[in-house]
Amino acid sequence: MLDPNPPLRPVHRPGGYLRLEDLGVIGDGGTVALVGTDGSIPWLCLPHFDADPVLAGLLDNERGGHFTVTAQDLREARQHYVPDTAVLVTELRTTTGLLQITDAIVVRSGADLTDDTPAGRAELVRSARVLDGTIRLDIDLRLRDGGQTNAALDGLEIRSSRRPELRLHLRASRLLNSLPVTFDLREGEHVDLVLSWGRIHRHHRFDAEDMLATTADAWRRWMDHFTYRGPQEPLVRRSAITLKLCDDWVNGAMVAAPTSSLPAPIGGVRNWDYRYAWVRDAAFTVFALRRIGFGNEADAFLGWVLDAFEQSRQPRIMYTLDGGPVPDEVADAGLEGYRGSAPVHWGNGAADQRQHDVYGEVLDCAAQWVRGGGELQPALWAKLRGLADTAESAWREPDQGLWEIRNDGRVFTYSVGMCQVALDRAAALGEQLGLPAPIDRWRASAAKLTRRILDRSWDEKAQTLSAHLDGGGVLDASLLALPLRQVVPATHPRMIATTAAIAQRLSAGDGLLYRYLHQETPDGIQGDEGAFVLCSFWLVENLIHQGQLGPAHDLYESLCARTSPLGLLSEQIDPTTGGFIGNFPQAFSHIGIIASGVSLARATPGAAA
């Protein structure tokens, strides 16, 4: 259960870095900032999610840069969100007093968070107020490259030497001539700060309280659309807001996570840039959002996927937020990496991989688009039809699979399953809309692929479906997604046996699952990794569909208990420590909270999702 009033706790900085569990996220549909329990902001990319970060202290606490508002002699801290908003409150206890910092990236007055125009005013507001006693307040803003700070008439102007086109403007409710600066404050006194970028409006009213109030109001009005009633409702509400924070409100895309190169595990080299939009995320995201009342976001993401696909010469597994190609992957030697976990990467080398699941992902999005009332123009249908024809034969060829392995490909069972999805959805679309298509052939091919999966990937000795179509009993948690994509019924005896095998053999303990075992399935990358959070939520859904509501409910509750005090989740969890690893917050993990909660609510007598 999400605690609305968490206790004050000591601030931990292992290796000089905050734990991921001790970070909150704020945003405006264009970018996000991560805010620590120590009052620091160690991550901010401007002006967009996938831009070069101006604050990257998360990846190098000495050279990365930060925007810090904190109290000297800090002893304990805690964070909470203003309910149903992305306005974050941090409280810091010292030996002499209690400081409250309220943070938000501003949403303009009157915004409803569903407009297709930029909702942000390109301003980050920080309001620090002494609640009790006295506080010595330290303020500092240091860009990743140091930058140049000059006094202006109403504050400070900060320019980045790496990006001369980017101008930052810092205003304060007290005189601000230079940085760092210290203020001695008593109970009731406060300092307000506003960091602006993009187009600077020097003459609009400086009113931090109003900025925070209108931002909170916009978020609450967006949450009026929330319809879920079921297990862990406060956490599902927070997950909805977290997904909205990962949403590009202008383009309709959604980043997999708003960070790059957070390692899994600490000290490892599995450090990737997730600030892009994966096509495979769309179907899962849309399915989850639509079921809790957010059809506008669902439709926007579906439309973005179909637009990006239609404009591409060939389908890509991921795109930039504006639908372009993802930059080549490069290592940044200038940053040491989170807790010393090099390399830091920008761009993503998996963008050009062969991954056959993309055929099914795109056609599943098209099917959901039509189901929601959308239309398919002839030119788009022609490309979708070609995609189905390609899937009919491509399944035989090795690919890099759902998990984007970086060695020679295999014929992954999940990829074959998604080729089945492509054929099934294409046949349904052709029949429903009366479109020119070989509907009977596609249906027959889809049925054959299901039979191939059940026959050729089945290992009689291990009593499980296998990660690869040649069998062998090697397990992969992606098999749990086959029922969710309607490839194999969850109640099929071989799927029931596979679910049990995965729960046992891929277990990382206490309900956590590995994606696969690296000694059985080498992926071309050094080292092991942690437990992948979404896989455990897939297990929850399989148990629900198999009628095991008690175990499903218990597993769901245990997973929800692993969220941070703010209700956030990372990509993976270190099974030895329970700590967060991988990029953060991870959209997939929050999709799992929502989708499993909806499924549990619908399967439980007397409950309503």
Side-chain angles (χ1 to χ4, degrees), residues 215-237:
T215 298
D217 179 66
W219 281 102
R220 281 190 289 263
R221 283 187 287 107
W222 180 75
M223 283 297 291
D224 285 342
H225 299 281
F226 183 86
T227 58
Y228 173 84
R229 299 293 181 272
Q232 294 286 344
E233 182 180 332
L235 197 54
V236 174
R237 299 182 82 92

Side-chain angles (χ1 to χ4, degrees), residues 508 512-515 529-533 536 571-575 581:
L512 298 176
L513 294 177
Y514 295 111
R515 295 188 289 183
E529 60 181 5
F532 200 85
V533 174
S536 292
E571 175 192 23
Q572 298 183 29
I573 290 175
D574 185 333
I581 53 178

Side-chain angles (χ1 to χ4, degrees), residues 29 78 126 518 534:
R78 63 184 174 189
R126 313 201 71 186
H518 292 86
L534 179 62

Side-chain angles (χ1 to χ4, degrees), residues 17-36:
Y17 292 85
L18 287 171
R19 304 176 306 175
L20 300 183
E21 300 94 307
D22 295 329
L23 293 165
V25 59
I26 57 176
D28 68 344
T31 191
V32 304
L34 297 186
V35 184

